[in-house]
C-alpha cells in the first residue's frame, strides 16, 4: 500500500536526519535534546501533502523509530492489515516459529527471531522428529521466490497467539493448568457426608531428627470438619488407613451414616481402589497437586493460615501476602550462617495438632451462623445416608486376627472373648477352620465387637463377652442383663442339641441269615444292647487337655 511505502520513506529520512543532527551537535559540544520535537513538527507540517500516518507526538514518533530500527518494516504495518500479516507470514513460517520457541532449552523470543533468520540464510535445515518431514529455505519462499522475512514483532505476535499451547509444551502441567486451562465453578454441598475430600501434608514443625511429621486429613466438605486424621514420620499406606479409621470412628461415635462420595489422589490410595469403590457409591480421583481441583486444598489453606500459623512459623517464602511469609531468623554456627529453627519431638507436634484440630472443629462455621463446624456435621447429615457398614469397613481398613471357635460359642481376639450372636450361626461355619476376625478400636483403644469371615464370606458380628458377678447379693442390673444374655445363648444351644438328639432313631438289629437246610426255621435274632457304654464315645484327654478344658470353662 502507498501509505506504508510513504511511511517507510519518511521514517528512513527521520532516522538519518536524527543521527546526522545528533552527531553534529556532539562534535560542536552542544546539547542533543529537542531534536525529536523539531522532527515531529516537520513531519506534521508535511502530513497534508504526503498523506503519511506516522505518530503526531514526538514521544510516540521516537518510540516508533526505535522499534522500526529493531523490527524493520513489520513495525510500519498495521496488525489489522492482511489478517495479522497473514499474507506475509505463511502457515509453515508460523509453524516453524512456534516450534523453535518450544525447544527444550526454552529460547527467548529474540533467540527465535535470530534462529529463523539463520534458517532462511541457509545456515541449517530443520526436520520434524515425529514425521521425519524436512524443512529448508525452499519451504518458506514467497511468490517472488524469495525467503519470507519476519520481524521480531511478528515472532512475538505469533507466540502470543499460541501462548497457551507453547506454555503447555515449555512448562509443567501445573503451570499450564494454573495459567491457561479453564476450571470448573462449583458450590459446596448442602448436607454433611455428601462428599469427603482427602489430602496428605508435610507439617511445618521440624523434629529433633531434622525430619517433618507427615499427616493425612479427611474433610467433610459441607461442614468443613476434619472428620479423621493420622500422623506418622512416613508417608505410606498405614498413614492413609489410620486416617480412614479415624474418620469412621468419628462417624460411628456420633451415630451418623455412610458418606456418599470420596475425593482422593492416586498417590498412596491407588492400591485401595477396590475397597473404596465397594464402600462409596462415588469415588473421584483428582489430579495430583492440582490445588484448585481438590476441595481439601482449600481447607488446608484455611487451617494453615488461621490456626497452624498461630503455633508455628508456617507459610511460603514467596507468598503474595507479606503476612503469609514465614519470619525466619538467622544465626552463626560452625557451618556458617544458618536458619534459627525451633525443633520439636514427635509427641509434642502430635499433641499440638490434636488441640488445633479440636479448636478448628468446634469454632463457628463460616457460612452457617450460630453453629460450629462439628454441630453442622452432626445436625445436617444427608437424610438419604445408609447405615454404616461396619463389617465391610473393618475388612477394608481394619485389623485382622486369625482365630477359631471355642466351646461352640466364642473366639479370642486381642486377649478378649467375642461370642456368636446366636448358636444358629454355627451352621455357617465350616469345620471351624480359617476364621478371620476383623476389628476396629474406638478412641479409648477398646474393641467392642469383631466381624468374622470365613473364605472371604461374612458370617456374623460378634460382641465382646462381658462377665457378671456370680454372687447374687452383689449383682447389679447390668450383671442381670449379662447373665440373661448368656442364659439365652446356652438355652438356645441346649435346645438345638436336644432337637438334634430327638431326631435320632433308637435302633435295633435283625440278623438276616439264610440256611441250606430245608424246612428249618430259626427265630428272629434281636440284639439288644446290654452295655450302653460299649457304643458311647469317650474322648481321651491328657492332663494338660483337662487343665485347658477347665480354664475354658
Amino acid at each position: 500500500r502507498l501509505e506504508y511505502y510513504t511511511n517507510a520513506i519518511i521514517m528512513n529520512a527521520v532516522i538519518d536526519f536524527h543521527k546526522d543532527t545528533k552527531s553534529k551537535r556532539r562534535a560542536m559540544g552542544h546539547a542533543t535534546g529537542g531534536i525529536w520535537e523539531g522532527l515531529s513538527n516537520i513531519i506534521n507540517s508535511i502530513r497534508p501533502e504526503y498523506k503519511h500516518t506516522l505518530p503526531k507526538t514526538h514521544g510516540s514518533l521516537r518510540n516508533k523509530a526505535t522499534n522500526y530500527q529493531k523490527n524493520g518494516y513489520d513495525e510500519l504495518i498495521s496488525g489489522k492489515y492482511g489478517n495479522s500479516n497473514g499474507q506475509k507470514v505463511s502457515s509453515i513460517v508460523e509453524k516453524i516459529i512456534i516450534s523453535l520457541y518450544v525447544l527444550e532449552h526454552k529460547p527467548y523470543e529474540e533467540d527465535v527471531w535470530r534462529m529463523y533468520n539463520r534458517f532462511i540464510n541457509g545456515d541449517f535445515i530443520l526436520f520434524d522428529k515425529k514425521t521425519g518431514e524436512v524443512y529448508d529455505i525452499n519451504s518458506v519462499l514467497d511468490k517472488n521466490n524469495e525467503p519470507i522475512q519476519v520481524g521480531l514483532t511478528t515472532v512475538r505476535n505469533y507466540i502470543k497467539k499460541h501462548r497457551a499451547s507453547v506454555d503447555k509444551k515449555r512448562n509443567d502441567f501445573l503451570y499450564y493448568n494454573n495459567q491457561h486451562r479453564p476450571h470448573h465453578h462449583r458450590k459446596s454441598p448442602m448436607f454433611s457426608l455428601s462428599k469427603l475430600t482427602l489430602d496428605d501434608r508435610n507439617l511445618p514443625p521440624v523434629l529433633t531428627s531434622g525430619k517433618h511429621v507427615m499427616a493425612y486429613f479427611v474433610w467433610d466438605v459441607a461442614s468443613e470438619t476434619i472428620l479423621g486424621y493420622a500422623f506418622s514420620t512416613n508417608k505410606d499406606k498405614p498413614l492413609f488407613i489410620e486416617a480412614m479409621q479415624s474418620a469412621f470412628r468419628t462417624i460411628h461415635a456420633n451415630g451418623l451414616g455412610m458418606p456418599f462420595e470420596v475425593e482422593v489422589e492416586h498417590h498412596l490410595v491407588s492400591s485401595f481402589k477396590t475397597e473404596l469403590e465397594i464402600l462409596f457409591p462415588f469415588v473421584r480421583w483428582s489430579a495430583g497437586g492440582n490445588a484448585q481441583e481438590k476441595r481439601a486444598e482449600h481447607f488446608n489453606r484455611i487451617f494453615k493460615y488461621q490456626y497452624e500459623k498461630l503455633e508455628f512459623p508456617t507459610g511460603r517464602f514467596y507468598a503474595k501476602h507479606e503476612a503469609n511469609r514465614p519470619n525466619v531468623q538467622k544465626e552463626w554456627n560452625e557451618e556458617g550462617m544458618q536458619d534459627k529453627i525451633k525443633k520439636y519431638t514427635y509427641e509434642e507436634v502430635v499433641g499440638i495438632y490434636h488441640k488445633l484440630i479440636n479448636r478448628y472443629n468446634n469454632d463457628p462455621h463460616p457460612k452457617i451462623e450460630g453453629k460450629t463446624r462439628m454441630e453442622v456435621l452432626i445436625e445436617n447429615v444427608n437424610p438419604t445416608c445408609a447405615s454404616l457398614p461396619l463389617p465391610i469397613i473393618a475388612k477394608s481398613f481394619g485389623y485382622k486376627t486369625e482365630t477359631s471357635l471355642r466351646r461352640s460359642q466364642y473366639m479370642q481376639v486381642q486377649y478378649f472373648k467375642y461370642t456368636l450372636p446366636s448358636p444358629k450361626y454355627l451352621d455357617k461355619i465350616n469345620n471351624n477352620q480359617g476364621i478371620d476376625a476383623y476389628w476396629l478400636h474406638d478412641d479409648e483403644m477398646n474393641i467392642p465387637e469383631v466381624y468374622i469371615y470365613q473364605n472371604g464370606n461374612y458370617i456374623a458380628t460378634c460382641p465382646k463377652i462381658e462377665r457378671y458377678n456370680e454372687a447374687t447379693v452383689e449383682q447389679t442390673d447390668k450383671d442381670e442383663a449379662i447373665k440373661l444374655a448368656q442364659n439365652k445363648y446356652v438355652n438356645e444351644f441346649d435346645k438345638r442339641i436336644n432337637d438334634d438328639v430327638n431326631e435320632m432313631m433308637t435302633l435295633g438289629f435283625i440278623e438276616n441269615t439264610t440256611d441250606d437246610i430245608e424246612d428249618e426255621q430259626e427265630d428272629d435274632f434281636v440284639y439288644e444292647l446290654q452295655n450302653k457304654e460299649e457304643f458311647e464315645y469317650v474322648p481321651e484327654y491328657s492332663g494338660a487337655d483337662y487343665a485347658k478344658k477347665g480354664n475354658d470353662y
Side-chain angles (χ1 to χ4, degrees):
R1 292 179 56 179
L2 180 60
E3 173 192 339
Y4 297 139
Y5 175 73
T6 303
N7 286 347
I9 292 176
I10 296 176
M11 182 59 76
N12 289 336
V14 166
I15 293 172
D16 290 341
F17 182 82
H18 177 267
K19 290 181 179 179
D20 185 59
T21 304
K22 189 175 182 179
S23 178
K24 289 179 179 179
R25 287 190 180 186
R26 283 181 174 176
M28 298 173 64
H30 296 164
T32 59
I35 299 178
W36 285 108
E37 287 85 343
L39 285 170
S40 179
N41 292 333
I42 293 173
I43 67 168
N44 284 333
S45 66
I46 64 174
R47 188 182 302 276
E49 181 178 357
Y50 291 97
K51 309 296 183 183
H52 69 80
T53 56
L54 294 175
K56 296 180 180 180
T57 63
H58 70 273
S60 297
L61 178 64
R62 180 175 182 176
N63 290 337
K64 194 74 171 178
T66 301
N67 292 333
Y68 173 70
Q69 289 177 288
K70 187 175 183 179
N71 301 325
Y73 293 111
D74 284 346
E75 186 64 31
L76 302 179
I77 300 174
S78 170
K80 300 178 181 179
Y81 179 69
N83 190 20
S84 298
N85 297 333
Q87 294 180 354
K88 182 174 179 62
V89 182
S90 67
S91 60
I92 189 64
V93 172
E94 178 182 346
K95 183 178 179 180
I96 290 175
I97 290 172
I98 298 305
S99 299
L100 288 172
Y101 188 64
V102 297
L103 288 173
E104 189 173 353
H105 68 282
K106 299 176 70 172
Y108 297 106
E109 294 168 345
E110 293 84 353
D111 295 332
V112 173
W113 180 52
R114 294 188 187 98
M115 282 189 289
Y116 179 80
N117 286 331
R118 290 185 59 200
F119 168 70
I120 62 175
N121 287 333
D123 291 350
F124 53 80
I125 61 174
L126 300 171
F127 68 94
D128 189 337
K129 292 182 178 180
K130 292 185 293 184
T131 65
E133 187 173 359
V134 178
Y135 300 93
D136 58 16
I137 190 173
N138 295 319
S139 306
V140 291
L141 299 179
D142 60 16
K143 61 182 180 179
N144 297 321
N145 211 31
E146 294 290 336
I148 297 175
Q149 304 280 340
V150 297
L152 181 57
T153 299
T154 301
V155 172
R156 286 173 173 164
N157 287 339
Y158 276 96
I159 291 174
K160 184 177 181 180
K161 175 184 175 182
H162 297 273
R163 175 53 64 184
S165 301
V166 297
D167 276 355
K168 182 176 183 180
K169 184 74 173 179
R170 282 165 59 101
N171 299 281
D172 58 26
F173 169 76
L174 291 181
Y175 179 86
Y176 159 74
N177 183 74
N178 296 335
Q179 293 292 326
H180 302 288
R181 193 165 181 256
H183 62 274
H184 291 255
H185 301 266
R186 304 165 294 176
K187 62 180 180 181
S188 297
M190 298 173 56
F191 299 107
S192 57
L193 300 187
S194 290
K195 181 179 180 180
L196 307 183
T197 179
L198 286 65
D199 194 26
D200 60 274
R201 286 189 60 204
N202 293 3
L203 302 181
V206 180
L207 300 179
T208 52
S209 63
K211 296 183 178 180
H212 291 265
V213 175
M214 309 298 172
Y216 207 99
F217 291 96
V218 180
W219 307 79
D220 174 70
V221 177
S223 66
E224 302 187 6
T225 306
I226 300 178
L227 198 61
Y229 53 90
F231 304 101
S232 176
T233 54
N234 298 310
K235 190 178 293 185
D236 50 16
K237 293 178 183 178
L239 179 66
F240 167 72
I241 293 174
E242 187 177 343
M244 292 299 294
Q245 292 175 354
S246 174
F248 284 120
R249 280 198 300 270
T250 302
I251 294 172
H252 184 56
N254 290 283
L256 310 181
M258 182 65 195
F260 280 94
E261 183 176 0
V262 61
E263 180 180 64
V264 294
E265 291 181 359
H266 284 279
H267 175 57
L268 290 184
V269 186
S270 58
S271 58
F272 297 94
K273 184 176 186 294
T274 301
E275 289 82 355
L276 291 174
E277 290 179 349
I278 289 174
L279 279 172
F280 296 93
F282 308 100
V283 180
R284 184 175 184 279
W285 299 92
S286 59
N290 187 4
Q292 66 185 16
E293 177 185 7
K294 191 167 54 176
R295 183 63 69 178
E297 296 284 359
H298 301 258
F299 299 143
N300 280 337
R301 180 177 177 83
I302 294 172
F303 184 78
K304 180 177 182 178
Y305 290 116
Q306 295 184 14
Y307 293 85
E308 194 175 78
K309 186 174 182 290
L310 302 178
E311 296 286 344
F312 308 107
T314 187
R316 293 180 293 116
F317 289 100
Y318 301 103
K320 291 182 179 180
H321 200 297
E322 177 272 336
N324 291 336
R325 298 180 183 179
N327 183 15
V328 179
Q329 299 179 356
K330 302 284 187 178
E331 65 177 355
W332 284 97
N333 57 29
E334 62 275 5
E335 298 180 359
M337 181 68 76
Q338 301 289 326
D339 293 341
K340 185 178 181 181
I341 301 175
K342 182 179 179 181
K343 295 187 177 182
Y344 302 81
T345 65
Y346 176 83
E347 291 73 20
E348 287 175 330
V349 172
V350 172
I352 291 172
Y353 272 91
H354 276 298
K355 294 178 182 178
L356 290 176
I357 291 170
N358 183 65
R359 187 191 314 164
Y360 170 86
N361 282 343
N362 291 284
D363 271 356
H365 192 281
K367 298 177 184 177
I368 302 179
E369 187 175 354
K371 298 288 185 180
T372 66
R373 292 184 175 93
M374 185 58 70
E375 287 174 339
V376 173
L377 171 70
I378 297 173
E379 299 173 11
N380 200 38
V381 174
N382 192 310
T384 59
C385 281
S387 58
L388 208 60
L390 290 175
I392 302 177
I393 293 171
K395 190 173 186 295
S396 300
F397 300 109
Y399 304 97
K400 174 183 175 182
T401 298
E402 295 182 3
T403 185
S404 59
L405 187 66
R406 302 183 183 183
R407 292 292 297 272
S408 304
Q409 180 190 24
Y410 67 89
M411 293 131 298
Q412 188 161 313
V413 177
Q414 296 294 298
Y415 307 106
F416 292 99
K417 297 176 181 178
Y418 295 84
T419 180
L420 289 174
S422 167
K424 66 182 181 181
Y425 288 93
L426 293 170
D427 295 333
K428 296 184 178 182
I429 299 176
N430 182 22
N431 297 327
N432 194 28
Q433 298 294 323
I435 297 178
D436 296 323
Y438 294 90
W439 48 276
L440 295 165
H441 59 72
D442 58 21
D443 290 333
E444 284 73 38
M445 305 303 291
N446 298 317
I447 308 172
E449 58 189 17
V450 299
Y451 314 95
I452 61 171
Y453 288 75
Q454 190 173 53
N455 299 323
N457 298 316
Y458 172 67
I459 296 176
T461 297
C462 301
K464 184 178 180 180
I465 293 180
E466 296 185 81
R467 298 177 182 271
Y468 66 88
N469 193 327
E470 64 183 62
T472 305
V473 69
E474 297 182 11
Q475 288 178 355
T476 63
D477 291 341
K478 183 178 179 180
D479 290 319
E480 288 287 347
I482 295 172
K483 182 179 180 181
L484 182 63
Q486 294 187 16
N487 277 337
K488 181 181 178 181
Y489 189 96
V490 173
N491 291 337
E492 286 184 17
F493 181 80
D494 288 343
K495 183 179 183 305
R496 172 189 174 90
I497 298 302
N498 291 334
D499 290 345
D500 196 27
V501 169
N502 291 334
E503 289 292 324
M504 299 178 184
M505 298 182 292
T506 303
L507 296 177
F509 291 83
I510 300 175
E511 185 175 356
N512 185 13
T513 61
T514 302
D515 201 312
D516 293 337
I517 303 176
E518 293 183 359
D519 299 331
E520 185 174 348
Q521 184 72 32
E522 294 184 359
D523 295 335
D524 292 340
F525 175 73
V526 179
Y527 181 85
E528 292 186 358
L529 294 176
Q530 300 299 319
N531 182 5
K532 293 183 179 181
E533 293 183 356
E534 179 180 353
F535 287 92
E536 183 177 357
Y537 172 69
V538 179
E540 295 181 0
Y541 288 94
S542 66
D545 291 328
Y546 273 117
K548 180 175 183 301
K549 187 175 181 182
N551 288 334
D552 290 343
Y553 175 76

